[in-house]
Amino acid sequence: MKNHDGTRALSERVSDVLEAAANGFGPHAGHSIARMHERGALVPLQLEQRRLIHREDSVRRQSDAFREIRTRLLGLAGQQNFVTLVVPVSPRSGGSFVARNLAAAFAFDEAKTSLLIDCNLRYPNQQKALGVDPAKGGLIDLLEHPALGIEPILYHTGIPRLRLIPAGRARENGGEYFSSSRMRTVLDSLRCRYPDRYLFLDGPAIKGSPDARILSDLADFVVVVAGYGRDTPAAISQAVANFEPDKLAGVVFNKAA
């Protein structure tokens, strides 16, 4: 497993910093789904091979780091569930790694469930990272064909209480989908159907794409992932300036050794 270490704030403009010390390797409204059954739950070794946190001591430091981010978000939100957008400053900064492990950290809580949605249409990788075969399609398939319904594209991940909606059919320009009323309706439905469900959008890099800014309009909070040693203080400050200050939960510094 590759090493990931947290570091300090690099700019006063990055007002809130979430330091991820991730060392190693990432019905009807009112009903609960927190106790939903998981088929073929993965064992710790399998989770580590997929760079995912778990409850065992071998990845205690990483798990605690993502729990701290979870605590931060819950403190900001209060009692309501919410939608969190996770976006890297630049490609290969570890945004997808942070998104899936943050979703896993929420799933650790037996009173909660999490849903990871791959919104990186150019470079989707959550299905591969989680070992999911999206045979029935994904997000874009649903947006193009609403009759498909949500249930067929909710995939088991091997982690109890964590589901994945993969990106679906490859598309270069996601803005037209993410800015549509249909996308907002889908997210509202996913969020409101179960009050113990927390949504995580794995978005594309902020640099070079407008999709991250478009997706932020659909989220309650934005977590920016900066590659330590890759993204400069100026680049980080420029990246966070794309988002409304009251939505910016913080910056995660991700270092790959």
Side-chain angles (χ1 to χ4, degrees):
M1 293 164 60
K2 297 181 179 179
N3 291 333
H4 295 261
D5 292 301
T7 186
R8 69 196 192 294
L10 299 182
S11 168
E12 291 184 358
R13 289 183 61 191
V14 184
S15 57
D16 295 310
V17 180
L18 310 178
E19 296 186 320
N23 234 1
F25 332 122
H28 300 280
H31 288 207
S32 172
I33 54 172
R35 298 183 180 277
M36 60 189 181
H37 176 67
E38 180 64 33
R39 301 189 301 268
L42 299 173
V43 300
L45 178 59
Q46 292 173 308
L47 292 168
E48 289 184 27
Q49 290 172 340
R50 297 180 184 189
R51 301 177 66 221
L52 287 161
I53 59 173
H54 54 76
R55 298 177 184 274
E56 303 300 321
D57 288 340
S58 60
V59 293
R60 176 70 63 185
R61 185 180 177 189
Q62 307 92 297
S63 298
D64 286 348
F66 284 102
R67 285 190 179 103
E68 288 180 12
I69 302 174
R70 179 187 67 186
T71 299
R72 167 73 183 200
L73 289 169
L74 290 170
L76 292 172
Q79 298 300 313
Q80 293 186 337
N81 62 346
F82 48 82
V83 179
T84 302
L85 171 65
V86 181
V87 285
V89 173
S90 60
R92 296 181 296 280
S93 293
S96 294
F97 167 83
V98 171
R100 63 178 168 268
N101 279 287
L102 184 54
F106 271 75
F108 279 1
D109 187 337
E110 295 183 0
K112 297 178 176 60
T113 183
S114 57
L115 175 60
L116 177 61
I117 305 176
D118 196 338
C119 297
N120 191 344
L121 303 188
R122 290 189 180 184
Y123 306 107
N125 68 9
Q126 294 295 1
Q127 64 193 49
K128 181 178 179 181
L130 293 168
V132 169
D133 177 14
K136 297 182 180 179
L139 176 62
I140 296 305
D141 303 280
L142 174 64
L143 294 176
E144 291 185 342
H145 308 285
L148 174 65
I150 292 173
E151 292 301 323
I153 62 169
L154 289 173
Y155 294 89
H156 289 252
T157 64
I159 301 172
R161 297 176 296 280
L162 171 59
R163 298 288 184 265
L164 169 70
I165 293 182
R169 296 170 56 188
R171 288 288 185 276
E172 291 226 354
N173 183 11
E176 62 185 274
Y177 294 100
F178 299 148
S179 60
S180 69
S181 60
R182 189 170 295 168
M183 178 70 174
R184 185 175 294 278
T185 298
V186 167
L187 291 181
D188 287 344
S189 175
L190 288 167
R191 174 183 177 178
C192 296
R193 188 174 179 86
Y194 300 106
D196 54 5
R197 172 186 275 164
Y198 294 79
L199 277 62
F200 298 89
L201 311 182
D202 177 17
I206 302 166
K207 187 177 181 180
S209 172
D211 292 356
R213 177 65 183 86
I214 295 170
L215 283 166
S216 71
D217 290 337
L218 304 172
D220 298 294
F221 302 114
V222 178
V223 172
V224 174
V225 180
Y228 181 62
R230 174 188 296 273
D231 298 315
T232 66
I236 296 170
S237 295
Q238 185 177 12
V240 300
N242 282 275
F243 309 111
E244 298 175 17
D246 61 341
K247 286 191 175 186
L248 182 63
V251 176
V252 173
F253 291 89
N254 183 57
K255 179 180 179 182

